[in-house]
Amino acid sequence: MAEKMELRDIEVWDGNMAASQAMRQVQIDVVAAYPITPSTPIVENYGSFLANGYVDGEFVMVESEHAAMSGCIGASAAGGRVATATSSQGFALMVETLYQASGMRLPVILNVVNRALAAPLNVNGDHSDMYLGRDSGWIQFDAYNPQNAYDLNFIAFRVAEDHEVRLPAMVHQDGFLTSHTAQGVHTLDDDTAYSFVGDFKPMNDMLDLDHPVTHGVQTEEDWHFEHKARQHHDLMTKVFPRIQAAFDAFEKLTGRKYNIVETYNTDDADAVVVCMGTAVETAVEVSNELREEGKKVGVIGIRVIRPWPYDQLLDALKGIKAIGALDRSSPNGTFGMLYNELAGTVVNGDEKKVLTNYVYGLGGRDLLKSQLREIYAELLANAEAGKPTTPLQQLIGVRGPKISFH
Amino acid sequence: MIDNGWDEFEIGAMLRSFDGAVKDIATTLQEDRPYSKNNSFTASVADWRIEKPVFNKDYCIDCQFCWIYCPDISIISRDKKMVGIDYDHCKGCAICVEVCPTNPKSLLMFEEKMDEDEALAGWPEKENKEK
Amino acid sequence: MSEMKKIKNLKEFSTSADRFEGANLLCPGCAHSIIVREILNATNDDLILSASTGCLEVCTAVYPYTSWDASWIHIGFENGSTAVAGAEAMYKALKRKGRLKQPDREPKFVSFAGDGASYDIGFQWISGCFERGHNIMHVVLDNEVYANTGGQRSSSTPIGSSTTTAPAGRVSYGEKQNKKDMLAIMAAHGAPYVAQVAPNKWKDMIKKIQHGFAVEGPVFINAMSACTTEWKFLPEDTIAISDLATDSLVFPLYEIIDGTKLNITYRPKNVIPVKDYLGAQGRFKHLFKPENKHVLDEWQKRVDEKWEYLQRREEAGV
């Protein structure tokens, strides 16, 4: 039996420590992991918990991220609680197995500390790896700070392992900006944290020797579509009610309220930015300042990226005239993901909205408050004009001549 | 099963070998197992064959070479005796005939449509091996 | 530790209840299923199995049918070893935490993979599993070619073989490289047991498999799997071709214990010429043209040298 750890009500943790503490508290049965910057401390912290008797599950230090997820899949199919962590190139190496985990409906939890993808090589935070995972059939949660990274891990285990869901889930946090920035984190004691997630309930577990099960079958043209349709259907219909229920229960337990789409100053807003990660907190600060100047601007933070919160966004965007989609990943030849998904979300609505795209912060470049002020000024001009007054896509904070398209 | 829609099967890319619980499957003979409809035991590959092996127990010495070298679990042996051929699972490879050591062989290949009694009636005599 | 199954002779062995089923989609005469049957029937213990992508996998779990009467998992081409290692890790965790549903039963963990999935694309995963010391058995169904995809060369393909990606032609005798010595590589991992087996020598096979199941730690088994389709011989000749392979010493049967101690486990009474083995298969038929005689000579020389080396290793006890 693992030792319990006495925690203060508020601990000073960075995002990595917050995630690793949550992983410890839910008593994972198997962690198969491989270190990579900036998620390495999650794996190191977990190793230290193990070395000091706070973890009694298996900790398998494999030889690559691909093997990490492969081991997680085998362990999960065997029947128990499983999680790991990665970033960037490691995430990219894992991609093949991400589709296999979700297609096999195995509730693996993956902490992704977001980092840019090479080339050129870069260890800092942007959302390229997060975007790479968006068609992989996983649930994707996004944390904006260490507290979120801690809390959303509990939500992720509870939702993913639900037999109605049985889908793997990622908890994203921004590399360095969240993962290595220590803040005050309100903690749960070990028993409370574990009870919130509950005991792991096996399903089709290979280790149930009285019920042999074949996992990872082949399906060709006669069966593949039905399996994919089933998975897509379950992502589209079964996940949000469970996430909402978990958010409600978590609020009751801790007083901390999470929403599938987070809104700040949006009620009577003319213009909003839609963004993810640490950019949300910066944008909220700027929006608060602009509100004091009488400018009707707000922020929408995406909390759940997959499944895409279509209904929640339509609701949040009611009455808003101009939207700036802020993408922290190089679109490489098109609009940013958020722009495209938001366009698809609002295009059939009754209200006319002006949607523009800002690409920012690649490779860990800071997003400045002054830049957000400029963005808001442009968005308010769009709202006023009822049409774009700027190019549809602009890259901001990059040296050299102004770069924009369309 | 083949007509089932996307909402009519268990989630996950998975199948069950048996209906309900099984104990000691390693010592339970096929006839006593609760195979599920998804177990390939319930399927047939008989139509793969052009020729079929026929078993003549008169010459069999129960050496079990055919049993061990059959790739398709189609030699039925019970209580250390060769009992017959499982024609649902035999693909007609003829390994059993090749490895049969008796003279004449206790297993021979015949055209798939050949009647078994006819095959047995025309069984070759013992061969006089030269040398 | 569970009791070892007693298999005195073939009659006794034939009372085994197979846990691998027919109406799978393997070719008529495929050696894969003969090997799988011999391995599975070597124990009465529960089994947790994996298969890497390949002939065995695509022929035994095509929805809506499974040919497996034990729990089985397939993830991808390269990671079958790690899949079953993950399951083994979960077994250890649940055992420690008292959550096994059948705590008195001790399953064996076996990973099946082709030579492509073991010698090539899955090499790193296997190496990782062995370095970490998982209690698993990795079995290579070694047919020396990517048979599932139609006969492309792998690093197990022997010299002179004609494959679709290294075909024999007007100016080429086919494969130029020598077969990779995986047994030596796996022995170098310090694995407690590695062995080469062949399905025609069933008794040798059972003995080695049972030894492998009895030791703690990772076990590597390289099983020669004669491939009627890609080696180009008639389906009924699978066992005859296997006999030629073991009796010509092209596939010597031996084991290495604890990474060093080598034992030869089969010595043919009459060693036959390598060309008798090569000549029985379509994949080598071009070697019998006069201009390729040097490859035949090279073959015999290599086989002789390897046999000499194995005997000296055995003698030296290292």
Side-chain angles (χ1 to χ4, degrees):
Chain A
M1 188 66 194
E3 292 274 323
K4 282 180 188 159
M5 192 181 277
E6 292 296 325
L7 300 176
R8 286 181 288 265
D9 291 346
I10 298 177
E11 293 277 356
V12 180
W13 286 343
D14 61 20
N16 278 329
M17 180 54 90
S20 30
Q21 285 283 3
M23 286 167 69
R24 178 188 64 78
Q25 289 185 311
V26 301
Q27 297 178 28
I28 298 165
D29 297 309
V30 174
V31 170
Y34 186 82
I36 180 170
T37 305
S39 61
T40 299
I42 295 183
V43 181
E44 291 174 337
N45 294 338
Y46 195 80
S48 155
F49 296 150
L50 182 89
N52 290 292
Y54 294 110
V55 164
D56 57 3
E58 283 290 306
F59 182 45
V60 189
M61 283 309 303
V62 292
E63 77 290 347
S64 76
E65 289 87 353
H66 193 292
M69 188 49 65
S70 302
C72 284
I73 290 170
S76 184
R81 184 163 288 158
V82 172
T84 186
T86 196
S87 297
S88 183
Q89 309 304 132
F91 186 92
L93 186 57
M94 254 184 207
V95 164
E96 183 197 20
T97 51
L98 296 180
Y99 283 75
Q100 289 157 336
S102 72
M104 292 163 81
R105 306 298 294 264
L106 299 172
V108 179
I109 302 303
L110 173 60
N111 273 281
V112 185
V113 180
N114 294 330
R115 169 184 150 186
L117 286 170
L121 190 63
N122 176 294
V123 297
N124 283 292
D126 73 23
H127 294 164
S128 305
D129 47 7
M130 176 160 75
Y131 281 25
L132 180 60
R134 70 187 195 265
D135 283 356
S136 64
W138 287 55
I139 301 166
Q140 287 176 281
F141 294 97
D142 191 32
Y144 311 155
N145 55 41
Q147 181 75 62
N148 293 170
Y150 181 66
D151 295 345
L152 289 174
N153 262 280
F154 301 118
I155 303 289
F157 279 102
R158 180 158 157 153
V159 171
E161 290 174 2
D162 189 313
H163 282 199
E164 282 295 301
V165 175
R166 283 283 292 192
L167 285 161
M170 298 174 199
V171 178
H172 294 274
Q173 57 175 288
D174 281 3
F176 292 104
L177 293 177
T178 300
S179 69
H180 287 63
T181 304
Q183 296 183 352
V185 173
H186 293 265
T187 64
L188 299 173
D189 66 71
D190 283 6
D191 288 339
T192 307
Y194 182 80
S195 313
F196 178 78
V197 175
D199 291 339
F200 181 84
K201 292 172 204 68
M203 181 178 184
N204 304 332
D205 41 333
M206 289 202 298
L207 287 174
D208 180 353
L209 304 172
D210 287 345
H211 296 89
V213 59
T214 293
H215 275 284
V217 296
Q218 177 138 357
T219 59
E220 288 305 335
E221 71 285 355
D222 52 349
W223 273 103
H224 190 77
F225 202 166
E226 281 71 24
H227 279 80
K228 290 293 188 189
R230 177 63 165 274
Q231 186 180 341
H232 178 59
H233 170 268
D234 292 355
L235 273 157
M236 294 294 272
T237 64
K238 293 188 170 170
V239 176
F240 280 140
R242 302 286 159 166
I243 292 178
Q244 193 54 58
F247 281 167
D248 291 346
F250 196 74
E251 186 188 3
K252 215 171 146 193
L253 182 72
T254 66
R256 294 193 288 280
K257 183 171 169 56
Y258 287 91
N259 298 288
I260 290 164
V261 165
E262 303 286 3
T263 55
Y264 309 89
N265 299 332
T266 53
D267 278 353
D268 61 341
D270 289 328
V272 297
V273 294
V274 181
C275 53
M276 297 190 283
T278 46
V280 175
E281 296 202 329
T282 315
V284 169
E285 213 173 295
V286 173
S287 148
N288 284 338
E289 289 167 13
L290 290 173
R291 279 277 169 179
E292 282 179 22
E293 297 167 22
K295 294 186 173 129
K296 297 209 272 189
V297 295
V299 180
I300 291 178
I302 309 286
R303 182 65 77 193
V304 182
I305 308 148
R306 282 291 182 275
W308 176 252
Y310 172 80
D311 290 324
Q312 293 82 351
L313 275 164
L314 266 190
D315 193 44
L317 288 166
K318 242 180 218 135
I320 285 158
K321 296 173 187 136
I323 308 165
L326 270 57
D327 282 292
R328 195 168 201 160
S329 173
S330 174
N332 288 331
T334 181
F335 290 99
M337 181 273 275
L338 279 180
Y339 177 93
N340 278 335
E341 304 250 336
L342 285 164
T345 302
V346 301
V347 69
N348 289 313
D350 301 332
E351 298 174 0
K352 159 93 176 143
K353 295 177 193 301
V354 185
L355 176 65
T356 48
N357 189 199
Y358 295 88
V359 175
Y360 76 100
L362 301 190
R365 178 69 46 88
D366 284 335
L367 173 65
L368 305 176
K369 284 168 74 175
S370 58
Q371 290 164 343
L372 276 159
R373 283 175 163 271
E374 280 170 36
I375 291 169
Y376 275 123
E378 291 179 357
L379 294 176
L380 285 170
N382 292 351
E384 177 76 22
K387 60 179 184 185
T389 59
T390 61
L392 291 182
Q393 183 178 63
Q394 301 181 62
L395 277 62
I396 60 165
V398 62
R399 279 192 306 279
K402 187 170 168 54
I403 180 166
S404 63
F405 303 96
H406 303 298
Chain B
M1 181 99 187
I2 198 66
D3 295 326
N4 282 11
W6 62 266
D7 54 344
E8 295 174 303
F9 52 85
E10 282 192 76
I11 61 164
M14 57 76 66
L15 291 166
R16 292 182 192 290
S17 314
F18 302 106
D19 289 329
V22 290
K23 299 238 186 249
D24 306 324
I25 204 70
T27 54
T28 306
L29 294 170
Q30 290 178 319
E31 50 270 33
D32 301 322
R33 293 174 175 178
Y35 285 116
S36 83
K37 64 183 185 307
N38 299 116
N39 196 304
S40 73
F41 180 81
T42 65
S44 173
V45 284
D47 59 356
W48 288 31
R49 284 193 307 268
I50 300 161
E51 291 189 321
K52 65 179 175 189
V54 173
F55 172 54
N56 188 333
K57 66 175 166 28
D58 292 348
Y59 302 105
C60 180
I61 55 169
D62 295 313
C63 67
Q64 304 296 345
F65 284 175
C66 56
W67 174 82
I68 187 144
Y69 295 129
C70 173
D72 290 301
I73 312 99
S74 298
I75 300 295
I76 306 169
S77 286
R78 294 291 180 267
D79 299 325
K80 305 181 182 178
K81 298 237 177 312
M82 158 66 167
V83 176
I85 292 156
D86 174 350
Y87 286 113
D88 285 335
H89 300 135
C90 169
K91 293 169 186 159
C93 71
I95 287 178
C96 55
V97 173
E98 283 300 307
V99 300
C100 181
T102 62
N103 186 3
K105 285 182 182 286
S106 322
L107 286 153
L108 285 172
M109 297 304 284
F110 291 89
E111 257 187 72
E112 179 64 26
K113 59 177 190 280
M114 165 88 80
D115 180 74
E116 197 174 321
D117 290 336
E118 202 184 322
L120 290 171
W123 209 263
E125 295 293 313
K126 180 170 176 169
E127 219 178 294
N128 282 320
K129 298 219 166 147
E130 302 201 0
K131 281 191 269 183
Chain C
M1 195 65 225
S2 44
E3 214 169 286
M4 200 178 280
K5 181 171 170 177
K6 286 190 182 62
I7 304 164
K8 284 203 300 273
N9 52 42
L10 196 45
K11 281 191 187 206
E12 188 169 10
F13 196 31
S14 75
T15 60
S16 302
D18 278 284
R19 282 178 280 178
F20 180 64
E21 296 292 351
N24 57 60
L25 307 178
L26 291 161
C27 296
C30 178
H32 277 15
S33 52
I34 306 174
I35 297 163
V36 168
R37 286 187 59 222
E38 289 177 0
I39 292 174
L40 267 50
N41 284 332
T43 181
N44 282 340
D45 286 345
D46 293 290
L47 293 161
I48 306 289
L49 309 170
S50 77
S52 295
T53 308
C55 286
L56 184 72
E57 173 269 325
V58 301
C59 292
T60 61
V62 181
Y63 205 84
Y65 290 112
T66 177
S67 302
W68 300 95
D69 297 338
S71 280
W72 181 95
I73 184 170
H74 159 254
I75 309 177
F77 201 172
E78 65 289 80
N79 53 6
S81 55
T82 313
V84 91
E88 182 253 9
M90 183 57 74
Y91 171 78
K92 281 196 245 172
L94 297 190
K95 187 176 183 180
R96 188 179 312 127
K97 296 183 178 196
R99 276 170 42 213
L100 288 171
K101 288 180 178 172
Q102 296 90 10
D104 50 327
R105 282 148 73 178
E106 202 179 320
K108 301 283 187 277
F109 296 85
V110 184
S111 150
F112 289 106
D115 49 286
S118 302
Y119 287 53
D120 291 344
I121 194 168
F123 184 61
Q124 174 184 316
W125 286 254
I126 296 167
S127 180
C129 285
F130 275 62
E131 170 272 317
R132 295 190 299 273
H134 290 281
N135 203 11
I136 64 170
M137 177 184 287
H138 183 86
V139 178
V140 184
L141 301 161
D142 182 9
N143 55 21
E144 304 187 322
V145 70
Y146 288 97
N148 180 43
T149 46
Q152 297 79 27
R153 64 91 58 185
S154 78
S155 61
S156 174
T157 302
I159 192 163
S161 178
S162 183
T163 59
T164 58
T165 48
R170 204 162 50 80
V171 297
S172 172
Y173 58 79
E175 179 62 29
K176 299 290 188 299
Q177 314 302 326
N178 231 357
K179 184 184 172 86
K180 188 192 266 186
D181 188 353
M182 268 294 272
L183 249 66
I185 297 168
M186 298 321 294
H189 281 71
Y193 193 66
V194 310
Q196 182 143 285
V197 299
N200 52 317
K201 300 296 173 196
W202 68 270
K203 214 167 182 173
D204 180 72
M205 167 93 78
I206 301 306
K207 205 174 154 199
K208 286 171 176 166
I209 298 304
Q210 291 196 330
H211 183 103
F213 281 146
V215 300
E216 282 289 315
V219 168
F220 184 83
I221 302 289
N222 197 64
M224 178 191 60
S225 189
C227 176
T228 165
T229 308
E230 297 303 337
W231 293 15
K232 299 183 174 59
F233 59 81
L234 293 173
E236 69 235 45
D237 289 333
T238 300
I239 297 302
I241 293 285
S242 305
D243 283 340
L244 291 173
T246 48
D247 286 357
S248 63
L249 299 172
V250 168
F251 258 91
L253 301 182
Y254 61 102
E255 61 190 9
I256 305 171
I257 295 165
D258 293 330
T260 52
K261 172 118 186 49
L262 189 148
N263 300 314
I264 293 168
T265 59
Y266 172 67
R267 287 168 205 280
K269 282 196 193 82
N270 301 304
V271 177
I272 61 165
V274 170
K275 68 175 170 42
D276 291 4
Y277 166 73
L278 302 177
Q281 306 166 57
R283 62 173 171 158
F284 294 119
K285 74 165 189 281
H286 55 283
L287 297 185
F288 292 84
K289 291 181 190 165
E291 65 268 29
N292 289 331
K293 186 177 178 300
H294 67 284
V295 186
L296 288 180
D297 296 342
E298 169 87 9
W299 248 107
Q300 185 67 55
K301 185 168 155 277
R302 284 177 187 276
V303 167
D304 291 346
E305 282 171 1
K306 177 79 188 226
W307 184 242
E308 178 66 22
Y309 167 78
L310 292 174
Q311 291 186 103
R312 284 166 60 183
R313 277 277 307 268
E314 184 183 46
E315 229 173 83
V318 292

